[in-house]
């Protein structure tokens, strides 16, 4: 398969490495990077199969400014919900490309480990299962690819776990113990399932790789940027300083706000996301958030 990766951050580069094992792959980003097979944006957009690893808050602007529809198929690699509109990525991309040309990649997958060719299992979801299978077949031997037609379920799970990962970092940063972390992760899973079901997601999606799998991974590891945001909050740092120090995307931060707004609109009970939102937006003391969650 001939494929172009757009976005050369940590995840774009890891997917470039992974797909390069079996395919002819080029990569591009908004500024030049010294990577083999780096091409211009214009050249990348000529490819029939694209992988787009641009963060959720930036993607609409990128599509408006750069995308030219030539019938390309797109594998969306970001995990997040647009804060300004509460839109899911399938809705944003759906304004530019038919749903049957869109697929989404999710599952427990730290870029650093995919980059080192360590064993990983991922899910490709699409309403077009043939397309999902085409992308899954292009994955290297060290990645087991599953397919799923529950796009909204995989999307909600991938975005939501980043918010719970922030809470996981707070929990460990405050040294609340293993019991507390297990409670947080399992209640986080219940909460994201409830939220997803309100948008038509399938319950079983949350029990699989893209849900429980990615949640367990991200909410308990310092390899996660979102988890590290939570550690910073527990240390009493300001979110602006935490993000500057991080220097990379932490999708859970804008997604917490999107969840908070969507939950209000739809009257869904999301206690953990609400506390994460309060810590991020109102500077609420993490210890008070813990007390409020236990109360
Ligand atoms: N790093 C990881 O382990 C994983 C990341 N993801 C998701 O992939 C997405 C990207 O994350 P990373 O690559 O890790 O972040 P990163 O912080 O390493 O890189 C972000 C990339 O997006 C580009 N970008 C930012 N704003 C842009 C804009 N307006 N137009 C064009 N390009 C823009 C940046 O130039 C940079 O190359 C996020 O949604 C993240 O949640 C998903 C799975 C694993
Ligand atoms: O999505 C990820 C792993 O599956 C990466 O998580 P972070 O963005 O928190 O590092």
């Amino acid at each position: 398969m001939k494929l172009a990766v757009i976005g050369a951050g940590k995840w774009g580069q890891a997917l470039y490495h992974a797909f390069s094992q079996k395919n002819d792959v080029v990569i591009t980003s908004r500024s030049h990077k010294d990577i083999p097979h780096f091409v211009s944006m214009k050249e990348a957009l000529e490819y029939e199969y694209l992988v787009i690893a641009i963060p959720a808050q930036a993607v609409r602007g990128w599509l408006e400014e750069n995308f030219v529809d030539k019938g390309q198929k797109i594998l969306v690699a970001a995990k997040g919900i647009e804060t300004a509109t509460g839109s899911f990525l399938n809705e944003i991309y759906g304004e530019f490309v038919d749903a049957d040309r869109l697929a989404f990649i999710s599952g427990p997958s730290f870029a650093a480990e995919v980059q080192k060719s360590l064993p990983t299992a991922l899910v490709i979801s699409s309403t077009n299962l043939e397309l999902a299978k085409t992308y899954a077949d292009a994955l290297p031997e060290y990645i087991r690819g599953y397919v799923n037609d529950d796009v909204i379920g995989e999307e909600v799970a991938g975005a939501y776990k980043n918010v719970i990962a922030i809470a996981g970092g707070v929990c460990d940063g405050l040294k609340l113990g293993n019991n507390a972390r297990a409670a947080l992760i399992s209640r986080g899973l219940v909460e994201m399932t409830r939220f997803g079901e309100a948008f038509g997601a399938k319950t079983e999606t949350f029990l699989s790789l893209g849900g429980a799998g990615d949640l367990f991974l991200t909410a308990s590891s310092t390899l996660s940027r979102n988890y590290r945001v939570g550690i910073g909050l527990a240390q009493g740092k300001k979110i602006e300083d935490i993000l500057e120090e991080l220097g990379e995307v932490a999708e859970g931060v804008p997604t917490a706000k999107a969840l908070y707004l969507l939950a209000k609109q739809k009257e869904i009970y999301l206690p953990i996301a609400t506390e994460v939102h309060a810590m991020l937006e109102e500077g609420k003391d993490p210890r008070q958030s813990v007390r409020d969650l236990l109360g």
Side-chain angles (χ1 to χ4, degrees), residues 218-245:
T218 320
S220 59
S221 168
T222 51
L223 281 183
S224 158
R225 285 91 45 107
N226 289 288
Y227 178 90
R228 295 206 298 273
V229 166
I231 298 266
L233 291 173
Q235 289 168 344
K237 293 184 185 165
K238 287 206 183 91
I239 185 60
E240 296 75 24
D241 297 337
I242 296 171
L243 292 177
E244 199 183 316
E245 208 176 296

Side-chain angles (χ1 to χ4, degrees), residues 79 107-111 161-162 165 214 217-218 223-227 249-251:
K79 293 173 179 168
S109 49
F110 285 135
K161 65 88 195 173
N162 285 329
D214 207 0
L217 178 83
T218 320
L223 281 183
S224 158
R225 285 91 45 107
N226 289 288
Y227 178 90
V249 167
E251 291 276 24

Side-chain angles (χ1 to χ4, degrees), residues 32-51:
H32 182 81
K33 292 221 166 143
D34 201 10
I35 307 171
H37 309 290
F38 190 95
V39 298
S40 68
M41 191 66 78
K42 191 166 179 287
E43 191 177 336
L45 286 169
E46 296 295 332
Y47 279 68
E48 184 182 357
Y49 290 93
L50 305 178
V51 176

Side-chain angles (χ1 to χ4, degrees), residues 11 107-110 113-114 117-122 141-145:
W11 192 219
S109 49
F110 285 135
E113 296 188 1
V114 169
S117 304
L118 292 172
T120 300
L122 289 168
E141 276 179 7
Y142 73 90
I143 299 182
R144 165 106 192 183

Side-chain angles (χ1 to χ4, degrees), residues 33-269:
K33 292 221 166 143
D34 201 10
I35 307 171
H37 309 290
F38 190 95
V39 298
S40 68
M41 191 66 78
K42 191 166 179 287
E43 191 177 336
L45 286 169
E46 296 295 332
Y47 279 68
E48 184 182 357
Y49 290 93
L50 305 178
V51 176
I52 303 189
I54 295 173
Q57 309 306 319
V59 82
R60 184 187 294 278
W62 180 83
L63 284 163
E64 280 167 359
E65 279 168 35
N66 298 277
F67 187 65
V68 185
D69 191 356
K70 298 177 182 216
Q72 304 97 322
K73 283 91 176 170
I74 296 176
L75 180 64
V76 177
K79 293 173 179 168
I81 304 173
E82 191 180 47
T83 307
T85 61
S87 299
F88 297 108
L89 290 168
N90 77 79
E91 296 172 318
I92 302 173
Y93 278 94
E95 292 176 28
F96 296 83
V97 173
D98 297 336
D100 67 353
R101 288 195 275 134
L102 287 174
F104 300 80
I105 188 161
S106 56
S109 49
F110 285 135
E113 296 188 1
V114 169
Q115 187 79 46
K116 286 188 208 151
S117 304
L118 292 172
T120 300
L122 289 168
V123 191
I124 313 273
S125 57
S126 176
T127 51
N128 176 354
L129 280 179
E130 209 178 307
L131 178 65
K133 201 168 173 321
T134 303
Y135 276 112
D137 288 346
L139 289 167
E141 276 179 7
Y142 73 90
I143 299 182
R144 165 106 192 183
Y146 292 80
V147 296
N148 187 359
D149 63 2
D150 183 16
V151 170
I152 188 66
E154 295 291 355
E155 259 214 67
V156 166
Y160 215 117
K161 65 88 195 173
N162 285 329
V163 177
I164 307 297
I166 295 177
V170 169
C171 182
D172 289 350
L174 292 177
K175 302 198 173 13
L176 300 182
N178 295 298
N179 297 349
R181 196 197 313 115
L184 175 76
I185 292 176
S186 46
R187 292 313 298 171
L189 185 57
V190 171
E191 186 173 308
M192 68 160 74
T193 307
R194 180 164 57 233
F195 180 83
E197 283 168 350
F199 289 88
K202 291 182 191 167
T203 308
E204 60 263 33
T205 297
F206 293 90
L207 299 176
S208 189
L209 287 170
D214 207 0
L215 176 63
F216 295 161
L217 178 83
T218 320
S220 59
S221 168
T222 51
L223 281 183
S224 158
R225 285 91 45 107
N226 289 288
Y227 178 90
R228 295 206 298 273
V229 166
I231 298 266
L233 291 173
Q235 289 168 344
K237 293 184 185 165
K238 287 206 183 91
I239 185 60
E240 296 75 24
D241 297 337
I242 296 171
L243 292 177
E244 199 183 316
E245 208 176 296
L246 193 66
E248 288 177 29
V249 167
E251 291 276 24
V253 174
T255 296
K257 190 168 184 183
L259 289 177
Y260 177 78
L261 297 172
L262 287 169
K264 261 180 47 180
Q265 266 172 31
K266 287 214 154 211
E267 297 184 359
I268 316 168
Y269 177 55

